[in-house]
């Protein structure tokens, strides 16, 4: 019986530490990026959501919601605003939360 992959939410996924963490997640079949969050860099967040198939993304900057929403893959849940990261964690229920 195989083990289920560890579900990881990466808060700050568009920064240097977050991007490095996603490289590690991508290289390990035992890890999956279930949720991603960023402050305002919606372009990189959208690219990451597409690449990792994340269930949900959160962005702190509400002004970026329109562009981000149109760039996300279908079915990805989008959360925004000051409470978005907390909402993301509650929604995706990860095994591990990495604050990058």
């Amino acid at each position: 019986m195989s083990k289920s992959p560890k579900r990881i939410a990466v808060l700050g996924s568009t920064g240097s530490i977050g991007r490095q963490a996603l490289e590690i997640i991508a290289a390990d079949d035992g890890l999956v990026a279930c949720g991603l969050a960023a402050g305002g860099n919606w372009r990189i967040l959208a690219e990451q959501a597409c690449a990792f198939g994340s269930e949900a993304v959160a962005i702190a900057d509400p002004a970026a919601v329109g562009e981000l929403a149109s760039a996300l893959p279908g079915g990805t849940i989008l959360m925004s605003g000051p409470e978005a990261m907390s909402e993301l964690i509650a929604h995706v229920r990860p095994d591990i939360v990495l604050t990058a």
Side-chain angles (χ1 to χ4, degrees):
M1 179 166 66
S2 66
K3 290 174 35 177
S4 296
K6 291 283 186 188
R7 296 169 47 79
I8 302 174
V10 182
L11 309 183
S13 66
T14 62
S16 63
I17 293 171
R19 290 191 309 256
Q20 290 174 22
L22 289 174
E23 288 176 16
I24 292 168
I25 292 169
D28 188 329
D29 291 339
L31 304 174
V32 63
C34 62
L36 304 171
N41 195 334
W42 67 268
R43 285 180 179 90
I44 292 177
L45 184 59
E47 290 171 8
Q48 292 172 339
C50 290
F52 287 89
S54 299
E55 298 167 28
V57 298
I59 191 151
D61 181 4
V65 170
E67 292 91 356
L68 178 56
S70 65
L72 289 174
T76 305
I77 296 168
L78 171 58
M79 300 164 190
S80 68
E83 301 298 322
M85 290 187 193
S86 297
E87 293 169 6
L88 175 78
I89 299 306
H91 181 79
V92 300
R93 303 181 70 74
D95 297 310
I96 298 168
V97 176
L98 173 64
T99 305

